[in-house]
Amino acid sequence: AESAPRDLPHEATPAQTAAIDAIVARLQEGKACTLLLHGVTGSGKTEVYLRAIAAARANRRGAIVLVPEIALTPQLVGRFRARFGDNVAVLHSGLTPRERHGMWWRLRSGETDVAIGARSALFAPVRALGLIVVDEEHDSSFKQEEGVRYHARDMAIWRAHRVSGVCVLGSATPSLESEQLVRRGLATKLRLPDRARAQPLPRVELVDLRRIGSSKMG
């Protein structure tokens, strides 16, 4: 593939800066932790991920980024490669066995220290793993229903803790399971309450279905 043009970090918003600083501080502590990044749509979660990965690499730690299969688009991959060059291994179901072996070997040998892919990328042999990001952590595609059953979000937390790393769960609509982790003190919530480009959020109206009735819903 052709090398993507280099991309430099844009100026972060105050909320992004606070989230980035919190993640970097946890990475530097070298202790296992789980962070829930609750950011509205368009709040710049990807930029936070990119800077967190850069911080992990600066500390000689590798990173894994999990996204739903449908979100693994050329545009998303292009943004990661624009920031980190060819030092990104992309793992998805469309790879041939030979291509997958090549990606895994690059990670295993340490030639590449950033892996991005769908749920199976969780098992990528990233050396000195220090950061795992699960974007859209609420998405049902992270649940493996066939063969060996597992939930990639839960396994990401487990794997990060095994290597004294940081697991970042990102979502605009966090799962109840992740919210419960925060309430139990097993995870810390970071917030991105506004859009990064100061665009207004869409108008939201709450509808009480008890007053409308199912017969009027069409």
Side-chain angles (χ1 to χ4, degrees), residues 15 18 41 49 59 103 120 122 143 154 177-178 194 200:
T41 301
Y49 303 153
N59 286 319
M103 290 288 183
S120 62
L122 173 65
K143 192 173 183 179
D154 300 338
E177 292 86 351
S178 295
D194 302 306

Side-chain angles (χ1 to χ4, degrees), residues 97-140:
R98 181 169 183 166
E99 290 171 332
R100 181 173 291 272
H101 178 269
M103 290 288 183
W104 280 62
W105 178 252
R106 288 177 58 195
L107 292 164
R108 182 75 174 178
S109 66
E111 178 184 342
T112 301
D113 57 9
V114 179
I116 180 172
R119 61 174 180 256
S120 62
L122 173 65
F123 305 106
V126 176
R127 294 181 64 177
L129 181 64
L131 173 68
I132 302 179
V133 173
V134 185
D135 190 32
E136 305 295 345
E137 59 87 20
H138 62 275
D139 197 281
S140 60

Side-chain angles (χ1 to χ4, degrees), residues 25-154:
R26 301 306 197 284
L27 286 168
Q28 292 176 341
E29 288 176 1
K31 297 180 181 179
C33 74
T34 302
L35 302 172
L36 175 60
L37 182 62
H38 185 181
V40 300
T41 301
S43 59
K45 291 188 291 295
T46 302
E47 181 62 32
V48 173
Y49 303 153
L50 290 167
R51 297 202 189 197
I53 293 169
R57 295 183 67 209
N59 286 319
R60 300 183 182 277
R61 303 293 296 271
I64 294 175
V65 181
L66 303 182
V67 298
E69 184 86 40
I70 194 173
L72 195 60
T73 62
Q75 292 81 3
L76 177 66
V77 173
R79 186 168 180 189
F80 277 80
R81 283 184 166 156
R83 189 67 59 89
F84 303 117
D86 294 328
N87 194 43
V88 178
V90 184
L91 302 168
H92 56 82
S93 59
L95 295 178
T96 65
R98 181 169 183 166
E99 290 171 332
R100 181 173 291 272
H101 178 269
M103 290 288 183
W104 280 62
W105 178 252
R106 288 177 58 195
L107 292 164
R108 182 75 174 178
S109 66
E111 178 184 342
T112 301
D113 57 9
V114 179
I116 180 172
R119 61 174 180 256
S120 62
L122 173 65
F123 305 106
V126 176
R127 294 181 64 177
L129 181 64
L131 173 68
I132 302 179
V133 173
V134 185
D135 190 32
E136 305 295 345
E137 59 87 20
H138 62 275
D139 197 281
S140 60
S141 67
F142 286 124
K143 192 173 183 179
Q144 172 71 31
E145 299 281 7
E146 302 174 356
V148 178
R149 299 183 180 184
Y150 66 93
H151 200 302
R153 178 197 61 228
D154 300 338

